[in-house]
Amino acid sequence: MQPFSLFSLGGVLLVSVEEDIDDAGIRELLARVSSRVSREAISGVIVDLHHFEVLDSHLARQLQALARVLHLLQARMVVVGLCVPVVMTLLDFGITLPEMEFALDVEQALVRLHESGPQASGPDAGELS
Amino acid sequence: MKDISEVQLDEGFLSEIINAITSGIFVTDLEHNILMINKAGARMVGKRPGDCFDRKCYDIFKTPMCRTEFCTCDIVTSKDRANYGETTMQVGDRQVPIEYSSRPLKNYEGKIIGCVENFIDISERLEKDRIILEQKESLLKKREEDIRHLQDEILELSTPVIQVWDGILTLPLIGTLDSHRAHIAMERVLQSIEQTRAAFVIVDITGVPIVDADVARHILQTAAAARLMGSETLLTGVGPHTARVISDSGVSLENIILKGRMTDALQYAIAQLEERRLQMKKFSHFMGALGEEGEKEE
């Protein structure tokens, strides 16, 4: 079984990632998401991480890479579903994921993607930790 | 009635005096034979003076020091000096704590011929000391508990996270903000965000008297955490002094939306929420589809 699943929500792609995703899985995810974004003219990608109880720095870097790829493809990426322990660990390691956007849940993410318009702003490149 | 000055100080009267003393007194020769013991001393070991004469002192007193290098008789007779200490003697099957002092006994030529020792029972004193110590300890323990309880209470009081509106949390900070408190506040905020799904967190620092670079960093950290959860952080209550300090410290507050007063922050947040609600209505058909999708996912 695939360690992630993709749902199309008309212009927005919802990516739900399982916790046991490995390197090969991440590569596969990057390839599939980016090809679908460019083929179907998708303006926003919501990455749902609520299955994760732990998020290591490696995966955080992969997510950053995905965000950059999507930025180059003129799509916005919103991460949802980070739980408290994950957030605390990320901050303890000094990881603030500055190039990404976050939302409380998929619903809020959708609102966010629609409110400022698909092309309005990419990831806030100027943000520092 | 005879005056005491008329009494002749002969041997018999001296022994009367020695027997009247309440602490134990005994004399041994160099071979540890007891030459003399007064009534109080004999009573303390549960014997009569007559039972102790010509017996070895270590058979009578049975202290842990007897017949070791710490024997006080040997010390005073070999070194020609006084010796003091505390030990226990065995009376029946009971250990009695005593305090003793010994001195060498010399004849008219100045030659050491034995040892004079006097001792008192200190079990009552030790018992009293123990009770006092116990009381002190329990008092100290209680006070420590009280202090810890108060600290917890203060910590609890000092980091309240209040939901003032649907989707808006406030964190009014009062008092000094150290890293411990900041950490607790952050954890509280995150938990509250998770529970209430609040899109906005308003941090108010009107009540923080000293805002320095560290405090600013703590607030920034909280904002970063809230951002990862998907909430936005607003900061209110920044006075002119605080503004200067933050500006001088070089900490940039770019993840944070600054508002002058709590009212402004609330108005801003409510307006934003309202806008989002309208957006959501626009895409209601969308949400319906999403709801079904979400159910499948669960």
mmCIF file of all heavy atoms in Angstrom, chain A residues 66-82:
data_model
loop_
_atom_site.group_PDB
_atom_site.id
_atom_site.type_symbol
_atom_site.label_atom_id
_atom_site.label_comp_id
_atom_site.label_asym_id
_atom_site.label_seq_id
_atom_site.Cartn_x
_atom_site.Cartn_y
_atom_site.Cartn_z
ATOM 1 N N LEU A 66 9.758 19.983 -1.097
ATOM 2 C CA LEU A 66 8.470 19.933 -1.791
ATOM 3 C C LEU A 66 7.885 21.333 -1.933
ATOM 4 O O LEU A 66 7.374 21.714 -3.002
ATOM 5 C CB LEU A 66 7.511 19.014 -1.031
ATOM 6 C CG LEU A 66 6.111 18.852 -1.622
ATOM 7 C CD1 LEU A 66 6.179 18.223 -3.009
ATOM 8 C CD2 LEU A 66 5.218 18.022 -0.722
ATOM 9 N N ALA A 67 7.981 22.108 -0.830
ATOM 10 C CA ALA A 67 7.440 23.468 -0.864
ATOM 11 C C ALA A 67 8.141 24.300 -1.936
ATOM 12 O O ALA A 67 7.495 25.065 -2.666
ATOM 13 C CB ALA A 67 7.603 24.132 0.508
ATOM 14 N N ARG A 68 9.460 24.138 -2.044
ATOM 15 C CA ARG A 68 10.207 24.912 -3.044
ATOM 16 C C ARG A 68 9.826 24.504 -4.455
ATOM 17 O O ARG A 68 9.633 25.339 -5.341
ATOM 18 C CB ARG A 68 11.716 24.733 -2.823
ATOM 19 C CG ARG A 68 12.278 25.699 -1.788
ATOM 20 C CD ARG A 68 13.785 25.745 -1.878
ATOM 21 N NE ARG A 68 14.375 24.471 -1.463
ATOM 22 C CZ ARG A 68 14.650 24.151 -0.203
ATOM 23 N NH1 ARG A 68 14.401 25.017 0.745
ATOM 24 N NH2 ARG A 68 15.175 22.990 0.091
ATOM 25 N N VAL A 69 9.699 23.169 -4.674
ATOM 26 C CA VAL A 69 9.301 22.670 -5.996
ATOM 27 C C VAL A 69 7.943 23.247 -6.379
ATOM 28 O O VAL A 69 7.741 23.751 -7.490
ATOM 29 C CB VAL A 69 9.254 21.119 -5.993
ATOM 30 C CG1 VAL A 69 8.564 20.603 -7.243
ATOM 31 C CG2 VAL A 69 10.650 20.551 -5.872
ATOM 32 N N LEU A 70 7.005 23.211 -5.402
ATOM 33 C CA LEU A 70 5.655 23.692 -5.698
ATOM 34 C C LEU A 70 5.664 25.198 -5.962
ATOM 35 O O LEU A 70 4.913 25.690 -6.797
ATOM 36 C CB LEU A 70 4.707 23.356 -4.536
ATOM 37 C CG LEU A 70 4.445 21.861 -4.360
ATOM 38 C CD1 LEU A 70 3.535 21.617 -3.172
ATOM 39 C CD2 LEU A 70 3.835 21.253 -5.617
ATOM 40 N N HIS A 71 6.539 25.889 -5.247
ATOM 41 C CA HIS A 71 6.656 27.332 -5.460
ATOM 42 C C HIS A 71 7.080 27.614 -6.895
ATOM 43 O O HIS A 71 6.536 28.513 -7.561
ATOM 44 C CB HIS A 71 7.658 27.910 -4.465
ATOM 45 C CG HIS A 71 7.873 29.380 -4.605
ATOM 46 N ND1 HIS A 71 6.822 30.269 -4.705
ATOM 47 C CD2 HIS A 71 9.000 30.120 -4.682
ATOM 48 C CE1 HIS A 71 7.295 31.496 -4.822
ATOM 49 N NE2 HIS A 71 8.633 31.424 -4.821
ATOM 50 N N LEU A 72 8.044 26.814 -7.366
ATOM 51 C CA LEU A 72 8.511 26.978 -8.744
ATOM 52 C C LEU A 72 7.415 26.659 -9.742
ATOM 53 O O LEU A 72 7.400 27.174 -10.862
ATOM 54 C CB LEU A 72 9.732 26.093 -8.997
ATOM 55 C CG LEU A 72 11.012 26.517 -8.246
ATOM 56 C CD1 LEU A 72 12.077 25.458 -8.388
ATOM 57 C CD2 LEU A 72 11.512 27.849 -8.777
ATOM 58 N N LEU A 73 6.486 25.794 -9.342
ATOM 59 C CA LEU A 73 5.372 25.436 -10.231
ATOM 60 C C LEU A 73 4.171 26.350 -10.006
ATOM 61 O O LEU A 73 3.054 26.039 -10.414
ATOM 62 C CB LEU A 73 4.973 23.974 -9.998
ATOM 63 C CG LEU A 73 6.042 22.938 -10.361
ATOM 64 C CD1 LEU A 73 5.621 21.565 -9.868
ATOM 65 C CD2 LEU A 73 6.277 22.915 -11.861
ATOM 66 N N GLN A 74 4.360 27.447 -9.297
ATOM 67 C CA GLN A 74 3.314 28.423 -9.003
ATOM 68 C C GLN A 74 2.121 27.829 -8.259
ATOM 69 O O GLN A 74 0.973 28.176 -8.500
ATOM 70 C CB GLN A 74 2.805 29.105 -10.280
ATOM 71 C CG GLN A 74 3.729 30.158 -10.816
ATOM 72 C CD GLN A 74 4.449 29.634 -12.046
ATOM 73 O OE1 GLN A 74 3.805 29.242 -13.000
ATOM 74 N NE2 GLN A 74 5.763 29.620 -11.983
ATOM 75 N N ALA A 75 2.429 26.936 -7.332
ATOM 76 C CA ALA A 75 1.360 26.415 -6.477
ATOM 77 C C ALA A 75 1.730 26.683 -5.027
ATOM 78 O O ALA A 75 2.905 26.682 -4.670
ATOM 79 C CB ALA A 75 1.188 24.915 -6.702
ATOM 80 N N ARG A 76 0.713 26.941 -4.193
ATOM 81 C CA ARG A 76 0.988 27.179 -2.778
ATOM 82 C C ARG A 76 0.840 25.883 -2.001
ATOM 83 O O ARG A 76 0.046 25.018 -2.352
ATOM 84 C CB ARG A 76 0.015 28.208 -2.223
ATOM 85 C CG ARG A 76 0.327 29.613 -2.704
ATOM 86 C CD ARG A 76 -0.759 30.546 -2.281
ATOM 87 N NE ARG A 76 -0.833 30.704 -0.834
ATOM 88 C CZ ARG A 76 -1.882 31.210 -0.217
ATOM 89 N NH1 ARG A 76 -2.935 31.577 -0.888
ATOM 90 N NH2 ARG A 76 -1.876 31.350 1.092
ATOM 91 N N MET A 77 1.606 25.790 -0.964
ATOM 92 C CA MET A 77 1.533 24.575 -0.149
ATOM 93 C C MET A 77 1.163 24.954 1.289
ATOM 94 O O MET A 77 1.762 25.842 1.882
ATOM 95 C CB MET A 77 2.890 23.884 -0.165
ATOM 96 C CG MET A 77 2.970 22.701 0.760
ATOM 97 S SD MET A 77 4.467 21.766 0.424
ATOM 98 C CE MET A 77 4.893 21.246 2.062
ATOM 99 N N VAL A 78 0.154 24.284 1.799
ATOM 100 C CA VAL A 78 -0.261 24.526 3.180
ATOM 101 C C VAL A 78 -0.178 23.201 3.941
ATOM 102 O O VAL A 78 -0.706 22.183 3.492
ATOM 103 C CB VAL A 78 -1.700 25.075 3.246
ATOM 104 C CG1 VAL A 78 -2.089 25.339 4.702
ATOM 105 C CG2 VAL A 78 -1.827 26.357 2.440
ATOM 106 N N VAL A 79 0.502 23.223 5.062
ATOM 107 C CA VAL A 79 0.637 22.022 5.885
ATOM 108 C C VAL A 79 -0.413 22.064 6.991
ATOM 109 O O VAL A 79 -0.576 23.090 7.650
ATOM 110 C CB VAL A 79 2.049 21.930 6.486
ATOM 111 C CG1 VAL A 79 2.157 20.756 7.445
ATOM 112 C CG2 VAL A 79 3.094 21.829 5.395
ATOM 113 N N VAL A 80 -1.123 20.974 7.185
ATOM 114 C CA VAL A 80 -2.119 20.930 8.268
ATOM 115 C C VAL A 80 -1.891 19.699 9.143
ATOM 116 O O VAL A 80 -1.265 18.728 8.729
ATOM 117 C CB VAL A 80 -3.574 20.897 7.730
ATOM 118 C CG1 VAL A 80 -3.859 22.110 6.882
ATOM 119 C CG2 VAL A 80 -3.860 19.615 6.980
ATOM 120 N N GLY A 81 -2.416 19.792 10.340
ATOM 121 C CA GLY A 81 -2.480 18.620 11.218
ATOM 122 C C GLY A 81 -1.239 18.330 12.026
ATOM 123 O O GLY A 81 -1.054 17.208 12.495
ATOM 124 N N LEU A 82 -0.388 19.333 12.250
ATOM 125 C CA LEU A 82 0.762 19.098 13.145
ATOM 126 C C LEU A 82 0.243 19.077 14.578
ATOM 127 O O LEU A 82 -0.465 19.988 14.996
ATOM 128 C CB LEU A 82 1.804 20.202 12.989
ATOM 129 C CG LEU A 82 2.599 20.231 11.681
ATOM 130 C CD1 LEU A 82 3.686 21.300 11.762
ATOM 131 C CD2 LEU A 82 3.229 18.888 11.383
#
